[in-house]
Structures are given as structure tokens and as C-alpha cells.
Amino acid sequence: MLAVWVEQLLGFASGALAAIRKDERYPTLMAWAREEGPSLVGGNLPLAQALAPELWSQTPLARLGFASEPLARPGRNEPCWCDSGRKTKQCCGAVTLPGPVPAHLMWMLSLREWKGDALKAALESGRAPAQALLEAGLIAAETGQRGRAQQILESLFERADWSRLPEQAEPAFEILIDLYQERGFHRKREALLDAVLERGPLFLRGVALERLCLMHLDNDDLDSARAAFVRAQQALPDSPTLAYIEAMLLLHEGHEQEAAERARFWFRRLARQGDLEPDQLQFLADLAENPGATLADQLLNAEEDLAGPLASLQALFEALPTAPKLAIRRTDDGRLEYRTTAREDTLFAVWQQHFQVAVAADSPMGLEDDPWPEAAGWLGELCAHPEWLDAPRVVQSLTLALTSRFGSLPWMAPSLFAPLADRLERWLEQVAAEGPGTLAWDDADNAVLLRTGLALVVGMERGARQRSRQLAERLLALDDHDSLGLRELVLDQLLRDGRDSEALAVSEQQVTADAAEPPPLGLLMGRALALFRLARREEAAEALAAAQRHNAHALDMLCAENPRPVHTGADGIAEPGSRAEAWQYRTLMRDQWRATPGALDWLRDRFED
């Protein structure tokens, strides 16, 4: 019966609100309640008459600056407030409502109705109940009204008294953070997180720290992610989400065995407390057994429309036959060239009819548009026609698409990137078999192989580091101009593996064919770190000075505990010498400087000098 009442109440309240908005006068509402109201509550006229004054008393009125005009509740022997002329005990006082009437109902419905200036003025009045803002914002988000949802939820979190936020504000907070991310409001996102961490209720501070940690992971800023995780542990030590986040963090850091050990710790701890649902416990048990596979399965299941197609793609990769030979030749001047064949061009043309997104000619890893809104279609067609993967241009498009979506997630490397790497490496073996020579980016169709290789190196960098480095080194051996900038990436990976002498050797190699072109910041700073670890302090100081000459912001950014993020342009490329370049290096490698005993103190001393 309660469900019937809720449905009737919402229908009646919506009709009552429409009547009120005609002139915002009580008699207009009561006339509607007697004439049209009964049909919305099962033909019950007394119920309609009794309900209307309750709703009127809580309705915000634009003519009063969005205050309400509540009626004085009459005594039993006083005239009834429905204007029937009878005593209350003989009229509305004799009616028992089938269920409660939420005190914020008419505000919530009004927020759903108002648009433009009216909605803005209502929110700015500060009179809207928190629960009304919460529910109206969630409904707007669920129905795809992103702008309205953001506007309403912002009003909820701009309140001075955060202690009065309803506990259901947690999903609203996460939705607002997601809206900021989707709509590009990065400063608003950061300001909201800062405000919650500074003065928000405990339950929201924990959520904010968890989200902050995930954001840092998405940006490859492992040092900041670790700091946010530690703060989250202190705020919410028994949150099961922490098990999930720590596993992700450790996998990003390359500590797969430790991720499993910590997942087992969380499982034992939270299982003893007995507060988790069976499915939560099962997830923790799976996480303890195989963190990478569990996170990969969770991601695929969360993709909704793409879960099936992505699972089919994984199955296709498992059964993919050996890659066919390519048309490779070595020119008289020692240049290696790959040229597409007619069959490969035909396969690519058919694929492109479904994929319909071109590779960006001016970007090493870019696509002209986002292919994922239509991914269910092209993934399904690819799984039905695996022979398309005989064409390197198809492999290139697919690899770029997968890297753009899953390249920062280490647990996706084994199932999505390693099989494509097998295919590319067979082709690179054919190139190397032609004899010594240079596979230059600008020659023939070489860029297809090189661009695919770069995307795979990036896609495997976290989840299959050794495989990623080996592929990068193979590409460097073929492309001695390092047109992809892989030497810096190999250097970073060697430093992460503690192979400092090898990292130093990589830093000493020529970066480009043009010796006058300065090395990138990552190579300069990586050389300094390798020399510091090898206790060659004078040489390390010289390398650091070269890095400072290249980018005056690098040391300041690296030493700062909580610098403000610096965003690059839409292409994600930072100008040499800029703060954005210094920020990019910090996010990628500060954790290695911090993990090296005395390294950050040494940097600070050099910076102060």
C-alpha cells in the first residue's frame, strides 16, 4: 500500500504545483483540489482536500523570494483550513493520510520544474532544503540533464553548514565530481575536493580522499596518489574501498605480489568485522587470489554495453593465428621500408567503414575523434572478421583506441595489449631480418609500425613493464633517430627497476639525429637521478644543472609537497621549459626520487643554492 501512496502523492503534488504556479494563491489550489485532485488519489475528495493545505504550506513561492506561506494549523473546533466552512474535526481533521508527506517534496518538484533565471534565483535564495537539492540533482543526473544536475548539486555543496548535509550526499558528491571531470571543469573539481577535505563531514572526507587518489592514478601521479591513500586510511580505516584502491595503487607501482598480500590482509580484517555483504567479501577474496585479473573483470563488467564485446575481443586475441608476413625491403642506402599491400589496403578499408575514426597525422598517438561511443559496433564486426588484424593499419587503429581508454590501467595489459604486442613483434622481426638499417618514421608506411609500437609500449608500461621496455628497446634499435621519444621512457623504466648503470648508459646515448637539439627534461633528470644513486655526486650536480638550464621550474615542482596541477593543452603536449613540462615529469617520476634515500633533500639543497 505504501508504494501506491507514494505514486499517488507524487501525482497529486505535481498537479498541485502546476495549479499553484498559475497565480501562487491558496484559493486557486483549493479549487483545483476539489475539482481535479480527487482523480489523482483514487476519487477520494476528503483526502484531496486534506492533502492540499499540507502541500501549500511547504511550497516555495517566487513572489515571496522563494519563501513559503505556511498556514496556521487549526484546532479541532476551529474552521478547517481547506475553506470548507466546517469544523476541522468534521473535515480534514477526520482524514488520516495513508503515509507521510516529506517536508521537502514541493521544493524538490519545484527544482525539477524551474529553468533558467527562475532556477538560478531559487538556488541563490539559499532556502532550498538540502534533501530537495540532493534528490533533484540526482534525478537530473539520472535523466541526462548534466547542466541542471551540476547547477543544483553545486548549490547543495556551497552551503556554509556542512554538518547538515544528509548522509545520502555521498553519491551526489561523486556525481558532481564526475560531472566536473566530464565537462572539463577541472578547477571547480579541485576546489570542491579541497573544500571537502578542509571542512567536510568525515564520511565525505573519506570519499574525497578516495576520489583524489583515483584521480592521481589516472594522471600517473603515483606519489600524490600514495599520499592521498595514506590520508584516506587515516580518515576511514575500515572502508572496504581502501582494499580496492590499494590494490590498484600497488599494481600501478609494479608491486603485483604485494598487491595480493595486502588484499589478503584486507579480506581477513574486514571478514572478521562481519559488516560486509557476501558479494563484497567475494570480491575481496578474488582480489586476494589475483588482483590484476579481478580488477580487469570488474572493469569489463562495469562497461555495461561494452562488457560483451570486450570479452569477445579477449577471446579473439587468445585464438588469434600468427601474423602474416609484411612487404619489407632494404634500400641501397640502408633504409628499411614497410609498404602496405593491396590486400592490407582492402582489409583496412572494410574496417574503416565500421571504425570511422582516422588516425591524427600530426600526433604520434592521436585519433581524430573518440571511437568509443560506437565501440559496440566496431568491436563486434572485428570479432566477426579476425582477418582484418592481418593489416597493420587495422592493428594501429585498434591499439590507439585501446590505449586511449585502457592504457593507464596496468591490469588490462595481459589481456588487451600483450596479444597485439606479439603480432607487432613478429612484424618487427621481419624488419630486422632484412639486415642493418634505419626504420625511419617518414619513409614509406613505417609510421604505422612505429606508432603502433609506441601505443603498445605506453599500454604495457604499468602492467607489463619488462615487456614494454623490451619492445621500446627493439623499436629504438630499428629507429636510431628515436622519433618516438622512447629513450626517455626506457630510462624511466630502468630507474624503476633499480638498473641504474643501464639507465645512465641510456641517458648518454644520442637522443636525435640532430645533436644540436636539447635532450628532453626526463632524460636530463633521469641522468641526474642515476648518477645520484651511483654515488657520483659531482656528475649528478652537473646533470642537474643542465636540467635546470632546460627547465627552471623542474626543481621547484619536484620538491614541492602539494603543488597546484598544471594542465597541458588539448593535445597533452607540454612546451619544453614550461611549468607544464615540469608538472608532467613530477607526476611520472617523483615517487622514484622520494623512494631514493636522501634524493629529495639533495634536490632541495641544490634548489636553495
Side-chain angles (χ1 to χ4, degrees), residues 191-206:
L192 177 59
L193 285 168
D194 288 344
V196 168
L197 292 174
E198 179 182 344
R199 57 187 174 87
L202 180 60
F203 74 94
L204 272 190
R205 287 205 301 272

Side-chain angles (χ1 to χ4, degrees), residues 222-421:
L222 301 186
D223 198 58
S224 297
R226 170 62 66 180
F229 173 76
V230 171
R231 292 176 65 190
Q233 270 189 304
Q234 295 167 348
L236 290 176
D238 295 322
S239 170
T241 309
L242 293 176
Y244 164 72
I245 293 177
E246 187 171 25
M248 288 196 296
L249 179 58
L250 288 167
L251 288 175
H252 272 276
E253 293 172 339
H255 306 310
E256 187 170 356
Q257 184 59 40
E258 187 179 350
E261 292 171 358
R262 290 295 297 169
R264 287 193 286 272
F265 159 78
W266 283 106
F267 174 74
R268 292 191 299 269
R269 174 176 175 174
L270 296 174
R272 283 196 301 268
Q273 294 178 1
D275 297 331
L276 297 185
E277 298 292 331
D279 58 338
Q280 291 178 304
L281 273 178
Q282 184 59 54
F283 174 76
L284 290 178
D286 294 340
L287 198 65
E289 182 175 346
N290 191 328
T294 301
L295 291 174
D297 288 344
Q298 185 203 46
L299 176 67
L300 292 181
N301 292 332
E303 289 289 336
E304 297 181 359
D305 295 341
L306 293 181
L310 285 170
S312 297
L313 181 66
Q314 290 178 315
L316 168 64
F317 284 166
E318 291 176 1
L320 201 61
T322 303
K325 288 187 175 182
L326 301 182
I328 308 291
R329 78 181 188 100
R330 184 177 181 275
T331 65
D332 294 338
D333 59 353
R335 302 178 77 85
L336 298 167
E337 295 183 347
Y338 155 65
R339 295 186 183 275
T340 64
T341 64
R343 177 176 182 268
E344 291 166 8
D345 291 341
T346 300
L347 293 174
F348 177 74
V350 179
W351 151 261
Q352 198 65 20
Q353 291 176 5
H354 302 281
F355 188 70
Q356 296 185 343
V357 176
V359 172
D362 58 349
S363 173
M365 280 183 53
L367 293 168
E368 295 288 358
D369 203 353
D370 182 5
W372 288 99
E374 308 299 328
W378 54 259
L379 279 172
E381 290 294 333
L382 177 63
C383 291
H385 301 89
E387 69 276 7
W388 292 352
L389 292 173
D390 289 349
R393 291 174 71 192
V394 175
V395 175
Q396 172 188 244
S397 299
L398 177 61
T399 303
L400 291 173
L402 292 173
T403 302
S404 70
R405 184 147 184 152
F406 305 114
S408 63
L409 306 177
W411 43 92
M412 301 308 294
S415 61
L416 292 184
F417 296 106
L420 292 172

Side-chain angles (χ1 to χ4, degrees), residues 545-560:
Q548 284 181 280
R549 289 193 295 271
H550 172 87
N551 190 311
H553 309 288
L555 266 65
D556 183 22
M557 190 70 75
L558 201 57
C559 293

Side-chain angles (χ1 to χ4, degrees), residues 4 81 114 178 186 192 220 257 323 363 377 391 409 498 554 607:
V4 174
W81 60 358
W114 280 320
D178 288 339
H186 301 300
L192 177 59
D220 273 338
Q257 184 59 40
S363 173
L409 306 177
F607 179 64

